[in-house]
Amino acid sequence: MPVVAVVAGAVLVGLLLAPALRALVARCAVPEGESWCEACPLCGRPVGRLLPPTGRCPGCRGRLGAGAGAVEAVAAAVAVAVAYAADGPQTAALAWAGAFGVALGFTDARVRRLPYRLTVPLLAGVAALLAVAALAEGRPGVLLRCLLVALAVGALLEVAVQIGALGPGDSPLGLALGGLLGWYGWRVAIGGLVAAVVLAGLWGTMRVAALLVRRRPWRGLDVPVGPFLLLGALTAVLAR
């Protein structure tokens, strides 16, 4: 199939998924301890399963969730990346992680939280789809490596959670991404972690530099780790 057709198809898929992902972000991007945002805080209109790309409530036009076009652009880009990386039945697990990753990335960026409402179905879906992929390829042994990598990454992030360096949602995200990267091998999994650290460090450095230029305080800068774990994992898969 021509590359242009593949890219166009992937972009279309991303755009079709975006309204549902935008609605997930609108409902889940609330601070820890608060109820899910099931209705517009301005007019009380229920947040449906789909939201338009305007970033505003269809009822009162008030700001609701992520900015206009942001979810759509990221969802389309992730869909293209998944299509580029597609090379076997495990692509279904990669696509599942990509879709939930968009919602988790925006949620963490907005409220510094990775809610179990998103990480649990992400983990369950990745596990189930990898199991199906392993059976389809006649490689049930690869699941052991996926499990070991998932436990290693999850344990590493859980240590960071216990010492207060990360939030509680980062360890289940690590389990899911570790299992997915484990399909491709330990080298790819380590590469994903390294890429996440490097990307988070670069983002933090640029934020500090921008604050210094504007003569604003930068101490206590809070870096959302989730988006960089997700981006690092995708980068490792693409670069393998």
Side-chain angles (χ1 to χ4, degrees):
M1 185 179 295
V3 175
V4 174
V6 173
V7 172
V11 169
L12 179 60
V13 170
L15 294 177
L16 290 175
L17 288 175
L21 299 177
R22 177 175 286 280
L24 277 177
V25 174
R27 287 197 297 269
C28 297
V30 295
E32 188 75 38
E34 293 189 11
S35 301
W36 303 119
C37 180
E38 301 293 353
C40 174
L42 297 179
C43 68
R45 180 190 177 104
V47 176
R49 296 186 179 277
L50 303 175
L51 285 178
T54 58
R56 297 189 175 277
C57 171
C60 66
R61 309 299 297 170
R63 176 70 180 271
L64 184 62
V71 175
E72 291 70 23
V74 173
V78 169
V80 171
V82 170
Y84 177 82
D87 63 352
Q90 79 282 0
T91 303
L94 181 62
W96 181 268
F100 273 91
V102 173
L104 281 163
F106 275 97
T107 300
D108 197 22
R110 287 178 62 83
V111 296
R112 303 300 190 269
R113 181 187 182 192
L114 295 168
Y116 294 130
R117 184 174 183 175
L118 296 177
T119 55
V120 170
L122 166 63
L123 177 57
V126 166
L129 291 170
L130 287 179
V132 171
L135 294 176
E137 285 202 340
R139 299 171 58 198
V142 75
L143 294 179
L144 177 59
R145 186 177 64 204
C146 292
L147 177 61
L148 292 175
V149 176
L151 292 176
V153 175
L156 178 63
L157 296 182
E158 182 61 26
V159 170
V161 170
Q162 294 302 317
I163 64 176
L166 297 178
D170 289 293
S171 50
L173 176 60
L175 284 171
L177 295 180
L180 180 60
L181 293 177
W183 180 279
Y184 301 98
W186 285 96
R187 181 182 61 82
V188 175
I190 294 172
L193 288 176
V194 171
V197 172
V198 171
L199 291 169
L202 288 174
W203 184 88
T205 300
M206 289 189 294
R207 283 293 306 277
V208 169
L211 291 172
L212 287 175
V213 169
R214 298 166 61 185
R215 299 181 182 276
R216 297 182 61 181
W218 59 270
R219 294 187 182 277
L221 180 66
D222 190 9
V223 177
V225 176
F228 298 107
L229 288 173
L230 291 159
L231 186 56
L234 183 58
T235 300
V237 171
L238 292 174
R240 73 189 189 281

